[in-house]
Structures are given as C-alpha cells and as structure tokens.
Amino acid sequence: MISAEWLFKNHCDHVSMARLLEIQLDTEIIPIVMTEQERNEEIAALVLSRPPFDGLPKAHGGRSNSTERVVLALEQPSDTLKKHSAELQKQLSVYRYLIKTYDSLISILPETEQQFVDFYYNKQLSLTGMTEAAGSPVFGLSKTTVWTYKSKLLSKCDSLLRCLCPSLY
C-alpha cells in the first residue's frame, strides 16, 4: 500500500531512477561485435592466461578442456545481458507506473493544491517557510492552519489514489 505522501515525497527519485534505467538500457543493449579474428585472439588469450594464485587447493577432476570453458564463458554474457535487461525493463515499468500515477493525481487537484505539493514536496520548503514565501498558496496563514490544510489534502489524495489505483491498496 502506498500513500499519497509517499508518492509525493519520492516523485523526484522516481523520475531520476526512470531516467537512469533508460540510460542503462540504451547503453547495455548494444552488443559488442567482434570479428572472427578478434574472437579467436580473445579465446587464445584466455586459454593461455593463468588465474592468480590464491593459495587455495584446486579440484582436478573436470573433464573439459580450457578452450571449451573459455568459449562457453564468452557465449554466456549474452544470456546474462538479456536477463539483466529484462530485470531493468521490469524496474523501469514500475517507475513509469508510479510517475504516471503521480501525474494523474496531480492533474486532478486544483491549481492551489498543485502549488502546495510543488512547494512542500518538490521545492522542500517547510510549512513555516511556505507561510513566508511570496508565491506560496498558503502565504500569510498560521502554521496550524497550514498543517490542517496539508492533512486534509493528503487524506483527499489518498482517497483519490484508492479510486485511481485500487491495485496499490
């Protein structure tokens, strides 16, 4: 269950994470294409290289040769990349859903309530700071009145969220 206050507080983080995931997906999907000669050189280099000595005993029962292990290891990252991309896509869809929910909720609110959410949650002004800010929708009001206004706004937004997104509750 998410609340309107949680959605408002974390909106900037959701937008940032969605953008970061989009950038990661754009850069990770481009595969590195090697020519046949580069691939053969990579296999030869990996077969001839030795792992660093760590002092631990090694098991010597495997029946596969080192070239076979290297070729399989070179093929594996594409599968890992696909799984990783699918996980990133899943996370991105969650963040996009939360952003659209926020946008839908904000679009329903009157302009003064939208400004209140912007000043308090996006610009991170305190309630006292909002009463002193010239462009604020609660300019000149007492802190108690602003606190009551905020609690009524959040309860209204929570009920709107229940109507907009019943799956979140």
Side-chain angles (χ1 to χ4, degrees):
M1 178 176 131
I2 66 168
S3 66
E5 185 167 23
W6 180 84
L7 192 65
F8 293 152
K9 279 182 182 178
N10 295 306
H11 176 67
C12 292
D13 295 336
H14 296 158
V15 172
S16 299
M17 282 302 296
R19 184 65 188 131
L20 178 66
L21 289 170
E22 288 170 355
I23 290 170
Q24 280 184 327
L25 283 168
D26 288 344
T27 57
E28 285 187 6
I29 290 180
I30 301 171
I32 299 172
V33 180
M34 289 194 279
T35 63
E36 190 66 31
Q37 181 182 0
E38 291 173 333
R39 181 177 160 79
N40 291 340
E41 289 172 0
E42 182 76 18
I43 290 170
L46 289 172
V47 167
L48 297 175
S49 68
R50 298 272 183 238
F53 182 69
D54 57 4
L56 297 174
K58 304 290 183 216
H60 297 289
R63 296 227 177 221
S64 65
N65 69 24
S66 57
T67 307
E68 186 178 2
R69 284 193 305 265
V70 168
V71 171
L72 290 174
L74 280 177
E75 296 299 322
Q76 187 179 13
S78 64
D79 295 335
T80 307
L81 181 65
K82 288 177 187 174
K83 289 177 185 175
H84 185 65
S85 294
E87 181 63 33
L88 290 179
Q89 282 285 12
K90 185 178 176 182
Q91 289 177 5
L92 181 61
S93 66
V94 169
Y95 285 115
R96 283 182 177 162
Y97 179 76
L98 291 171
I99 291 169
K100 286 181 182 182
T101 303
Y102 173 89
D103 291 340
S104 299
L105 184 61
I106 288 293
S107 68
I108 293 171
L109 298 176
E111 187 175 340
T112 55
E113 292 176 353
Q114 289 178 11
Q115 289 174 345
F116 182 88
V117 169
D118 184 48
F119 274 84
Y120 189 71
Y121 293 104
N122 295 340
K123 294 180 182 174
Q124 297 181 346
L125 288 177
S126 65
L127 294 178
T128 307
M130 287 179 62
T131 60
E132 298 168 356
S136 170
V138 291
F139 175 72
L141 299 177
S142 71
K143 187 176 177 181
T144 309
T145 306
V146 175
W147 186 262
T148 306
Y149 180 81
K150 176 189 165 202
S151 64
K152 286 181 180 179
L153 173 65
L154 289 177
S155 67
K156 173 184 173 181
C157 290
D158 281 334
S159 63
L160 286 171
L161 265 179
R162 279 188 216 103
C163 295
L164 283 174
C165 309
S167 63
L168 296 177
Y169 284 91

